[in-house]
Amino acid sequence: MTGIPIFNVNNNCSTGSTALMLAKEMVECGKAECALAVGFEKMQKGSLGSVFNDRVHPMEKHIEVMSELVDISATPIVAQMFANAGLEHMKKYGTKPEHLVKIAWKNHKHSVNNPNSQFRDEYTLEQIEKSPRVCGPLTKLQCCPTSDGAAAVIVASESFVKSHRLESKAVEILGMEMATDLPSTFNERSLLKLVGYDMTKLAADRLYKKTGKRASDVQVVELHDCFSANELITYEALNLCPPGGAGGLVDRGDNTYGGKYVVNPSGGLISKGHPIGATGLAQCAELSWQLRGEAGPRQVPNAKLALQHNIGLGGAVVVALYQLGFPQSKNSNTRARKTAAAASEDGFIVTPFLHILQEAMLEDQDGLVEKHRAIYGLKVQNDKGEEGFWIINTKKGKGKIEFNGKDKPAVTFVIKDADIIDLLTGKIEPQRAFFQGKVKIQGNMGLALKLTELQRSAASKIDALRAKHLKSKL
């Protein structure tokens, strides 16, 4: 609704990185000073299937070639493709199913430290190996889950970064390359090449040549591990090791902390999840945090050069290298001022209104509290840079409102002190406040809607009590 150009991008599993590449090129050619690449996915239940039945499936030729090389089973077709590629690698180079198990074990272990990961459970090698079998050597814990999610990346020119004093946050896209299926994908009768080995290698070789970098210069990697077999194959396609060397790389621990590279510190697609349109941008976000030193307990030591790999069968792959744009500014104090927690509820415009809300809850004659049983959090920021925190607990009785309460909220609202009065008194619709950015919601969106219903229902009561209080003061 602003008139700016917007492009819808669909490139199977490499959609997010394709959008990022388009944003980069818009800025690079001078069409834009600042661009936003955003990706999202709300997936259907179960394994990937065909959505459009009125056109040729983009993987029709891939499946046709696979059917000529191996028997097609009733298991999910994409899992079959990567399982068969893994089996071909084992036959060709002597790798074992145990190597695939170790890759999944590593990624699940990494995910424990990632608050954005869909799953954060650590498993033993035996648990992974004995989890339900999906196809060939692949078990359930070696496969990415069905995921909903979103991610976004802002791409800006160097002049934009400097004019907004963002040097300390700026990550440079040192290079980005895309490749698509090659004649060898179909002509050379290789299951490895059918799932993108050749196009990944082509894109990676171009990237290293154009940037003057080598794979050995990289410290941290986010690569497309939709299945553990794909991570194994991709080590070699990205030149992290020579052809046939992936098993040895895994055995040496050169894919995790303390080794040559840290691959998928986020937990990878296997744990972090694979919301298809968002994945490439989520990879970029993780690598940016790593380069800035903002990755917390999963921080890769001395991360200076980061490599990304995002592939979609059908087929397209994007690879990219990242480094800090202004490394000398990494620790400079240009970040936004942090909000300090308030020690008292005094000094907040909202405080007397919350007291009135508590009174309205206690006098509740319409049974509104009963309809909205939950624990809600309210963070309010005043113009002094202080943040007050209240717990609104309606789980028992008429409920209570407590400043700095210890109960854990299921949903928390974040709002400025100057805006909350209009919200509490019904002068502004909650949905409008949310979409205008005046209210941020953390946690259960369903419960957030319940509280806004309570606010709307109780607005007249709050207004009447407020008038009563004002009259008594006069």
Side-chain angles (χ1 to χ4, degrees):
M1 294 179 287
T2 60
I4 63 172
I6 297 176
F7 300 86
N8 289 322
V9 179
N10 186 342
N11 219 3
N12 272 9
C13 298
S14 58
T15 294
S17 55
T18 303
L20 178 60
M21 191 170 189
L22 180 58
K24 166 185 172 286
E25 292 183 350
M26 287 288 287
V27 173
E28 207 166 38
C29 73
K31 281 276 189 180
E33 279 288 291
C34 184
L36 174 69
V38 58
F40 59 91
E41 201 77 43
K42 184 169 179 62
M43 298 180 70
Q44 296 179 2
K45 292 181 179 180
S47 59
L48 284 176
S50 178
V51 177
F52 303 106
N53 297 317
D54 60 344
R55 65 202 70 181
V56 174
H57 194 285
M59 286 166 52
E60 183 177 287
K61 190 170 179 64
H62 301 72
I63 298 168
E64 180 184 333
V65 171
M66 183 172 71
S67 69
E68 294 171 358
L69 299 174
V70 294
D71 292 333
I72 300 291
S73 68
T75 56
I77 197 68
V78 180
Q80 286 186 65
M81 295 182 75
F82 285 103
N84 287 324
L87 290 170
E88 182 177 302
H89 193 279
M90 293 174 192
K91 183 177 179 180
K92 188 173 183 179
Y93 298 115
T95 44
K96 305 290 184 185
E98 290 78 17
H99 291 114
L100 304 184
V101 172
K102 287 180 180 179
I103 287 171
W105 172 82
K106 178 263 300 180
N107 287 345
H108 285 295
K109 188 177 182 67
H110 287 180
S111 74
V112 172
N113 292 320
N114 185 3
N116 296 312
S117 184
Q118 183 176 357
F119 298 106
R120 301 180 65 186
D121 299 315
E122 187 173 352
Y123 299 94
T124 64
L125 292 169
E126 184 179 19
Q127 285 174 315
I128 293 169
E129 187 178 12
K130 292 188 176 181
S131 62
R133 192 153 302 276
V134 175
C135 182
L138 297 177
T139 63
K140 180 180 178 180
L141 291 175
Q142 297 178 52
C143 306
C144 64
T146 300
S147 314
D148 295 344
V153 172
I154 294 171
V155 183
S157 67
E158 185 172 333
S159 60
F160 184 97
V161 168
K162 289 180 176 177
S163 66
H164 289 77
R165 298 178 60 206
L166 294 168
E167 289 92 340
S168 67
K169 307 289 281 185
V171 171
E172 179 183 0
I173 302 176
L174 190 61
M176 183 173 276
E177 290 291 324
M178 178 190 282
T180 57
D181 285 323
L182 301 161
S184 59
T185 305
F186 308 105
N187 298 341
E188 297 192 10
R189 319 289 287 173
S190 166
L191 293 158
L192 290 168
K193 296 181 177 182
L194 200 62
V195 295
Y197 179 90
D198 275 3
M199 64 176 174
T200 291
K201 181 162 178 53
L202 175 64
D205 288 347
R206 285 175 177 169
L207 180 66
Y208 298 137
K209 183 177 181 180
K210 287 188 177 181
T211 60
K213 301 292 184 180
R214 297 173 297 176
S216 57
D217 297 326
V218 170
Q219 292 82 41
V220 58
V221 184
E222 280 286 313
L223 63 77
H224 199 100
D225 62 314
C226 47
F227 301 91
S228 57
N230 197 39
E231 179 162 331
L232 180 89
I233 294 163
T234 304
Y235 292 157
E236 298 172 13
L238 292 175
N239 298 330
L240 301 179
C241 62
L249 183 146
V250 172
D251 289 336
R252 292 191 303 273
D254 276 342
N255 57 355
T256 189
Y257 297 87
K260 171 62 179 169
Y261 313 99
V262 179
V263 180
N264 290 330
S266 66
L269 281 58
I270 284 174
S271 292
K272 176 172 61 66
H274 182 25
I276 296 172
T279 289
L281 296 166
Q283 290 177 324
C284 176
E286 174 66 28
L287 295 175
S288 296
W289 294 328
Q290 290 288 347
L291 292 169
R292 293 184 191 130
E294 298 174 345
R298 66 183 187 283
Q299 180 64 52
V300 175
N302 200 34
K304 293 181 179 178
L305 186 65
L307 175 63
Q308 176 190 4
H309 164 266
N310 183 206
I311 194 169
L313 295 188
V317 64
V318 177
V319 292
L321 282 170
Y322 303 92
Q323 64 183 13
L324 284 179
F326 303 89
Q328 68 279 7
S329 302
K330 181 178 179 181
N331 297 316
S332 64
N333 189 24
T334 60
R335 296 185 181 182
R337 179 180 59 170
K338 290 187 177 180
T339 305
S344 166
E345 64 179 347
D346 297 337
F348 286 87
I349 299 171
V350 73
T351 298
F353 283 85
L354 289 174
H355 292 166
I356 293 170
L357 178 60
Q358 175 75 83
E359 188 178 336
M361 290 162 62
L362 293 173
E363 293 182 8
D364 181 21
Q365 297 173 350
D366 302 318
L368 293 174
V369 172
E370 182 64 35
K371 298 175 184 177
H372 303 88
R373 296 291 187 193
I375 300 176
Y376 307 92
L378 179 66
K379 289 182 182 178
V380 180
Q381 299 167 352
N382 65 19
D383 56 6
K384 296 178 182 178
E386 297 175 323
E387 184 175 81
F389 180 62
W390 287 263
I391 289 291
I392 304 172
N393 189 336
T394 63
K395 280 252 180 177
K396 296 180 181 178
K398 294 293 186 179
K400 64 178 180 177
I401 300 176
E402 187 178 5
F403 181 74
N404 282 341
K406 302 302 181 186
D407 295 321
K408 184 177 180 181
V411 62
T412 298
F413 296 80
V414 183
I415 189 170
K416 289 183 179 178
D417 204 14
D419 294 327
I420 196 168
I421 306 307
D422 287 344
L423 187 67
L424 284 175
T425 56
K427 290 181 181 178
I428 182 173
E429 284 288 323
Q431 288 86 349
R432 181 175 295 181
F434 174 73
F435 285 114
Q436 288 177 346
K438 291 184 177 182
V439 178
K440 294 180 181 177
I441 297 172
Q442 301 169 346
N444 190 314
M445 183 64 78
L447 286 177
L449 293 174
K450 274 193 173 185
L451 190 62
T452 57
E453 288 172 16
L454 175 61
Q455 169 267 327
R456 189 183 297 109
S457 303
S460 59
K461 181 69 173 176
I462 292 170
D463 216 27
L465 284 171
R466 183 190 177 201
K468 178 183 171 183
H469 278 263
L470 288 173
K471 187 175 180 180
S472 65
K473 284 184 179 180
L474 289 172

